[in-house]
């Protein structure tokens, strides 16, 4: 199981939202095909066929827990990462 697969499993489990590394989450989204653009401290992600925009901000070296939850909801809604 690759690092990205382990991270996706961790995100989907919902047990460690406060312990997801920001750079790891960015890498996972890029690997899933999301396009990234940066505006100040906001990292914005878009993917064709996905209505929602994902907006991430750092919380130290971690991603913000509520933003990890938003990523999980998008992954589950659109069945990404299968």
């Amino acid at each position: 199981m690759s690092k990205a697969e382990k991270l996706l499993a961790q995100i989907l489990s919902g047990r460690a939202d406060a312990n997801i590394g920001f750079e790891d989450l960015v890498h996972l989204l890029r690997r899933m095909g999301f396009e990234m653009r940066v505006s100040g401290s906001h990292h914005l992600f878009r993917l064709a066929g996905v209505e929602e925009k994902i907006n991430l901000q750092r919380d130290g070296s971690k991603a913000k827990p509520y933003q990890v939850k938003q990523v999980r909801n998008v992954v589950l809604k659109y069945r990404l990462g299968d």
Side-chain angles (χ1 to χ4, degrees):
M1 185 178 256
S2 73
K3 184 176 179 180
E5 291 170 332
K6 288 179 186 177
L7 179 62
L8 182 58
Q10 185 179 9
I11 291 169
L12 293 178
S13 76
R15 292 178 299 201
D17 288 355
N19 199 28
I20 302 294
F22 180 82
E23 291 298 329
D24 293 335
L25 187 55
V26 167
H27 178 72
L28 178 67
L29 290 172
R30 297 294 307 264
R31 186 174 173 156
M32 293 174 116
F34 282 85
E35 293 181 20
M36 180 177 78
R37 127 180 128 77
V38 179
S39 179
S41 65
H42 297 263
H43 292 67
L44 306 166
F45 296 86
R46 297 282 295 160
L47 180 65
V50 174
E51 287 182 37
E52 294 86 345
K53 294 178 189 173
I54 297 176
N55 179 6
L56 300 181
Q57 293 174 281
R58 288 183 183 274
D59 189 11
S61 65
K62 305 291 182 190
K64 293 184 177 185
Y66 77 92
Q67 293 172 341
V68 174
K69 183 178 180 182
Q70 290 172 345
V71 170
R72 178 173 47 255
N73 290 339
V74 167
V75 168
L76 291 173
K77 180 178 179 180
Y78 294 96
R79 299 179 154 219
L80 305 173
D82 286 342

